[in-house]
Amino acid sequence: MKYHKYHAIVINRRNIKDADRFLTLYTLESGKVDVYARSVRSLKSKRLASLDLFTHISCEAIEKNDRLTLTHVDLLHTHQDSKTSLANISRLFHIGELVDKLTPDGDPHPEVYNLLLTALTHLHRFDTPEYLNRFKKKLLTELGFDPDPANLDEYIDSLLFRPLRTNNILLYIS
């Protein structure tokens, strides 16, 4: 049994059974990791609000049988200011999906972690689509890709097995 301590941002979640959840965290120490959160969806859970999407947390996990299980969570920041409008929420989901799909599991990139944290912190101040394009360019540059500024979305789709889901949502909101 191995013990891990992370500073992380919740970028994805999947419900399992009645009260459990798989979370995808982007951590400073290990990059993208999947953790199992037992009984987090029950009404008595004290960790439910701390594990909302795009929250900045400090957490502890135990590795057993090649699976990380979440044991303790401390909430650092909720980024509630960035979750006030539908346009901001759709941009948050787009940013989360970009980081989730473009980064490999277990490969630490502190620059990407800091970029994600900065984007979540300052998203509510910028209502223009250029902010999202700047994030995409910086993310691709940090990951070692050479983004084509003319057709950034097509370049990102060519890197993935299937197109991003949030591109369709952004078209309806913009």
Side-chain angles (χ1 to χ4, degrees), residues 37-147:
R38 181 172 286 126
S39 299
V40 74
R41 290 175 36 213
S42 70
L43 294 175
K44 296 178 182 178
S45 175
K46 296 177 183 177
R47 299 180 293 168
L48 181 62
S50 300
L51 296 175
D52 195 19
L53 282 173
F54 312 112
T55 55
H56 184 208
I57 60 173
S58 174
C59 63
E60 298 170 4
I62 293 176
E63 184 177 353
K64 185 177 180 184
N65 298 334
D66 294 330
R67 181 172 76 178
L68 287 171
T69 303
L70 202 61
T71 57
H72 180 74
V73 177
D74 288 324
L75 180 65
L76 299 177
H77 199 281
T78 61
H79 301 290
Q80 272 310 113
D81 296 339
S82 298
K83 300 175 187 177
T84 55
S85 70
L86 186 58
N88 282 350
I89 292 170
S90 67
R91 290 190 291 163
L92 280 173
F93 275 99
H94 192 66
I95 287 171
E97 188 177 16
L98 281 169
V99 172
D100 190 18
K101 300 295 181 189
L102 289 174
T103 56
D105 290 342
D107 189 17
H109 284 281
E111 306 86 19
V112 174
Y113 176 83
N114 291 330
L115 176 67
L116 179 60
L117 189 59
T118 303
L120 294 177
T121 305
H122 299 294
L123 183 70
H124 68 280
R125 298 188 332 188
F126 300 101
D127 291 332
T128 61
E130 286 82 29
Y131 185 73
L132 194 55
N133 286 333
R134 284 188 307 218
F135 176 82
K136 290 176 187 178
K137 287 178 187 177
K138 286 182 183 178
L139 178 65
L140 289 172
T141 304
E142 293 296 339
L143 292 174
F145 297 107
D146 186 25

Side-chain angles (χ1 to χ4, degrees), residues 17-35:
K17 299 182 185 177
D18 289 336
D20 301 342
R21 188 175 271 169
F22 267 115
L23 301 169
T24 303
L25 306 176
Y26 199 84
T27 66
L28 178 63
E29 298 82 9
S30 297
K32 185 173 72 169
V33 295
D34 287 328
V35 297

